[in-house]
Amino acid sequence: MWTRLASSKPPARPSVGLALSGGGARGFAHTGVLETLEYSGFPIDYISGTSIGSVIGSLYASGTTVPEIWKFGRAARELKFSKDFKSVKLLSLLITNRLITPTYINRFLEERFGALTFEKLKTPFACSAMDLRTGEKIVFTEGPLAIAVRASSNLPGIFAPVRYRHRQLVDGGVVDFIPIGDARQLGADWVLASVIENASSRSPENVLMSLLQVIDIRGSLLSLSAEKEAGFVIKSEVGDMTVADFDRCEEAGEAGLVEANRRIDAAREALLIYAAPRLAEKL
Amino acid sequence: MRLLLALLLFPAAPAQAFLFGGASDKKAGADLEKMRSAFEAGDCSSVLEPSPIFLHEKPPAAMREEAYGYMGRCYESAGATDKAISLYKLALGLYPENMLFASRLALIYNQAGFPENAAPLFLNVLSIKSDDTDASLGLARAYAALGFLSRAKDFYSRTVILQDFLDQAVLREYALCMLRKRDWPEALFIAGVGARAAPLSAFWHLVEARVRAGQGDYRKALSAIETAILLEPSRQLRLERSLYLLLGRLPRRAMEAADAELAADGKDALASAVKGMALHSLGKRTEAAPYFAAARCGGRFTAEIAGSFLKNYGADAGTDELCKK
């Protein structure tokens, strides 16, 4: 039955969405989850992401293969993502009274996506950000991709808000840690959520890490109610990695793969149980 | 000064033993010889009993290393896994180049369900001896258990080549791993190799059937599973065939197959589910409902699938009382 489900397309079966949560560098666990989903032939018709989930989700939706995403994770050290965080000095923030721009992350997104738009993605994709002035959740489903992903992964209080049209946008994880609703709005009947288990067990060693950890914990709390809306949840535990440990992305990916492998049979069963009547109807 | 020099040049026998450990080494050597003989004779109690005294003698490192090897394997054969793990960990710390300790410890970890601990140890062994078949197989198993199926494929492939494709059990494991990975070409290749070596085994035809079904070619899947049924008839294979008939858009033939199973066992939940789904696909929902109700009495997954249909019909999916009767 699974092979029939995996090889058919909607409307012969219910459409499936994949919602990827935030979690900073820990969120690279989504890559391992994607690899396991591919092994099992899990259909993915729509993708939604918040924060790091929007980065990985947009890469996947644009047709980047899972091995290529792993390569980005391995290269994160060279891509100097951590440097964007290490460059944050509290004293300079106070003296200059200006938030910084994540140079290396922005460069990566611009180089990777260039002029790519949502409309040209291989899989329909949505990502969310928050308007800092109104507190509104802004969901992107059209227009230029790079700036939307930048906004969705833009940590508030540290990185300067992304100005887009009349908005000042920061990380969507503040208002919606797991964008299950966004996947449904795209058209998904059933949503699998990949969530990063709550904050690192490591004590934050400085002001910046404390702030990041607070954002992460708040996101995890938000996710508790959102998870109930999902058809299935894969929750990866990433150990003592912090949200800014971009030098350890591969480790997070492996943790995601191990957890997804442990849960994949249950996920397939959950989808099959949901999909069976429609699947049998179209035989 | 001259006296001191003379004393150093011509030490008395006890002092020589003290300085260079001669007599003690000889005793340790004799004890080790006894342990070796006992180990080779399969007498583990004679290996383990004198071991504390032997180690207390502080024998040379090479002797201790050898003794640890005998002791560890004796702990293993006695089922004292915790002791074996502790000993191998200690020994590995002292003799990091010793492949036996790394390999045995990794095997224990794999068997005990800690593949994440086993993998680095197997990698260590393979970095020293790349053609170690046991380590290669152990690593393939560890990676498969963790879900790193691409890496598992590399090491299963290496293992079966090292074994000249002669070990049927390993070939089966490899084929199942490739089915899990949905690596259809590799699974089919291994199924072909396995079938040539064991042409009367239904297993390889079943693998082929699952590959064909995975590729969406249900007609070829049917042909393969029918060969498997001829070789080793079983209810499980017949029901899998009925599912292929259903998925291959042959619902009437699927119903016939399910009916045959229901004739043998009227309470066969899986056969009831297949028949229900066949009727459902023909648009006969009223006729399908009782079969789904019967399937609710099967295993958890079958019951939940059947419940999903009943819910879809707006019928009561809770048939616990019915199942008790």
Side-chain angles (χ1 to χ4, degrees):
Chain A
M1 290 249 336
W2 178 256
T3 56
R4 166 61 84 185
L5 187 147
S7 60
S8 55
K9 302 267 177 218
R13 59 159 172 79
S15 56
V16 178
L18 173 67
L20 305 175
S21 78
R26 295 155 60 81
F28 201 78
H30 296 315
T31 309
V33 174
L34 282 171
E35 180 164 335
T36 304
L37 294 177
E38 282 205 344
Y39 282 152
S40 66
F42 219 96
I44 300 173
D45 306 302
Y46 303 100
I47 304 171
S48 61
T50 295
S51 196
I52 184 75
S54 76
V55 177
I56 305 230
S58 57
L59 285 169
Y60 194 67
S62 69
T64 308
T65 63
V66 173
E68 280 177 305
I69 302 177
W70 275 109
K71 267 189 209 163
F72 292 134
R74 288 188 197 107
R77 195 187 301 264
E78 286 77 46
L79 293 168
K80 299 176 183 168
F81 290 165
S82 294
K83 226 172 172 179
D84 282 332
F85 293 88
K86 285 171 188 161
S87 67
V88 180
K89 299 279 184 294
L90 189 67
L91 199 60
S92 64
L93 282 176
L94 290 172
I95 292 170
T96 60
N97 197 24
R98 278 177 62 190
L99 296 167
I100 63 158
T101 302
T103 314
Y104 296 101
I105 295 173
N106 287 356
R107 186 183 299 164
F108 169 75
L109 294 174
E110 292 298 340
E111 281 175 6
R112 187 67 210 166
F113 295 132
L116 190 63
T117 60
F118 280 85
E119 291 79 359
K120 287 182 182 165
L121 291 171
K122 294 194 172 147
T123 308
F125 172 70
C127 66
S128 55
M130 184 190 83
D131 186 334
L132 201 55
R133 288 184 302 189
T134 63
E136 279 175 275
K137 179 183 156 187
I138 309 296
V139 182
F140 292 94
T141 54
E142 55 184 31
L145 183 67
I147 195 164
V149 176
R150 258 180 63 196
S152 183
S153 54
N154 191 49
L155 284 167
I158 298 158
F159 297 146
V162 171
R163 289 170 193 276
Y164 184 59
R165 295 183 183 158
H166 60 288
R167 306 277 190 183
Q168 293 208 8
L169 302 168
V170 294
D171 197 313
V174 180
V175 279
D176 189 5
F177 196 68
I178 320 173
I180 293 165
D182 298 351
R184 286 199 192 283
Q185 276 183 5
L186 283 172
D189 297 314
W190 188 94
V191 180
L192 184 142
S194 172
V195 184
I196 310 306
E197 184 62 277
N198 60 14
S200 164
S201 52
R202 211 163 83 191
S203 296
E205 58 267 332
N206 57 41
V207 176
L208 170 65
M209 288 304 141
S210 297
L211 179 59
L212 292 177
Q213 201 145 314
V214 167
I215 294 170
D216 194 35
I217 290 169
R218 188 183 139 69
S220 298
L221 292 173
L222 277 176
S223 74
L224 289 177
S225 56
E227 281 171 22
K228 291 172 193 156
E229 305 298 315
F232 196 84
V233 179
I234 293 176
K235 201 172 233 184
S236 305
E237 283 186 36
V238 191
D240 69 347
M241 262 183 81
T242 70
V243 290
D245 270 340
F246 282 97
D247 295 346
R248 293 170 67 190
C249 281
E250 194 175 7
E251 208 178 303
E254 290 185 351
L257 190 146
V258 169
E259 180 58 18
N261 177 61
R262 197 178 71 78
R263 303 272 289 143
I264 194 67
D265 286 343
R268 293 197 320 177
E269 283 186 9
L271 178 56
L272 263 177
I273 288 164
Y274 179 82
R278 195 187 302 183
L279 203 60
E281 215 163 83
K282 306 284 178 185
L283 284 173
Chain B
M1 190 65 193
R2 280 182 188 169
L3 181 64
L4 184 63
L5 193 65
L7 280 171
L8 281 171
L9 285 171
F10 306 104
Q16 189 183 30
F18 173 74
L19 285 174
F20 304 110
S24 181
D25 285 3
K26 276 183 192 164
K27 184 174 180 324
D31 288 346
L32 181 64
E33 179 54 41
K34 282 182 198 163
M35 287 170 84
R36 188 184 298 131
S37 306
F39 179 79
E40 282 164 4
D43 179 6
C44 270
S45 62
S46 299
V47 171
L48 294 172
E49 271 171 27
S51 62
I53 300 164
F54 171 78
L55 294 174
H56 188 71
E57 297 266 337
K58 295 194 169 45
M63 286 191 198
R64 210 164 46 220
E65 183 177 0
E66 188 180 336
Y68 281 147
Y70 302 138
M71 289 165 64
R73 279 170 289 173
C74 279
Y75 282 137
E76 281 186 67
S77 61
T81 311
D82 289 352
K83 283 186 178 175
I85 289 176
S86 303
L87 186 124
Y88 286 139
K89 280 166 88 171
L90 169 75
L92 204 53
L94 293 168
Y95 314 100
E97 296 290 305
N98 188 310
M99 288 194 303
L100 174 77
F101 300 142
S103 191
R104 297 308 307 174
L105 186 56
L107 284 169
I108 294 174
Y109 278 141
N110 246 5
Q111 282 162 5
F114 297 103
E116 66 279 19
N117 293 349
L121 290 165
F122 283 129
L123 278 170
N124 187 21
V125 174
L126 288 168
S127 70
I128 298 165
K129 189 170 183 281
S130 61
D131 62 348
D132 187 311
T133 311
D134 288 342
S136 180
L137 177 59
L139 189 55
R141 285 175 175 159
Y143 279 147
L146 288 167
F148 295 96
L149 302 184
S150 290
R151 296 184 204 174
K153 179 184 175 182
D154 291 344
F155 289 95
Y156 270 124
S157 168
R158 187 191 289 197
T159 305
V160 295
I161 289 167
L162 286 169
Q163 294 175 328
D164 276 336
F165 298 91
L166 293 174
D167 189 328
Q168 279 274 314
V170 175
L171 285 173
R172 283 179 178 225
E173 262 185 67
Y174 186 15
L176 291 174
C177 181
M178 291 305 96
L179 283 178
R180 227 176 105 204
K181 189 174 177 287
R182 296 167 66 82
D183 189 334
W184 310 130
E186 188 69 4
L188 205 56
F189 168 71
I190 296 299
V193 173
R196 278 194 291 282
L200 297 179
S201 164
F203 178 83
W204 299 115
H205 299 284
L206 177 61
V207 171
E208 191 197 333
R210 289 183 179 172
V211 168
R212 299 303 185 192
Q215 291 171 325
D217 190 340
Y218 292 101
R219 290 192 185 272
K220 280 188 181 167
L222 266 173
S223 159
I225 204 152
E226 280 165 2
T227 309
I229 292 168
L230 282 175
L231 290 167
E232 290 172 33
S234 74
R235 170 188 165 273
Q236 192 208 325
L237 290 180
R238 289 193 299 270
L239 282 170
E240 193 158 331
R241 174 179 172 268
S242 70
L243 268 174
Y244 291 156
L245 286 166
L246 178 65
L247 298 170
R249 296 197 168 91
L250 298 167
R252 290 180 203 287
R253 284 183 62 194
M255 272 199 293
E256 284 168 21
D259 277 338
E261 295 308 312
L262 287 168
D265 175 6
K267 289 185 175 174
D268 190 320
L270 190 53
S272 295
V274 172
K275 177 140 189 192
M277 284 191 281
L279 286 165
H280 179 94
S281 73
L282 291 168
K284 298 178 178 176
R285 294 182 170 209
T286 318
E287 289 173 54
Y291 288 98
F292 287 126
R296 288 285 286 157
C297 304
R300 187 193 58 80
F301 180 58
T302 308
E304 286 190 33
I305 287 272
S308 173
F309 280 91
L310 290 171
K311 211 170 140 189
N312 195 258
Y313 297 165
D316 180 15
T319 50
D320 288 351
E321 289 305 313
L322 182 80
C323 297
K324 281 178 193 165
K325 284 176 190 171

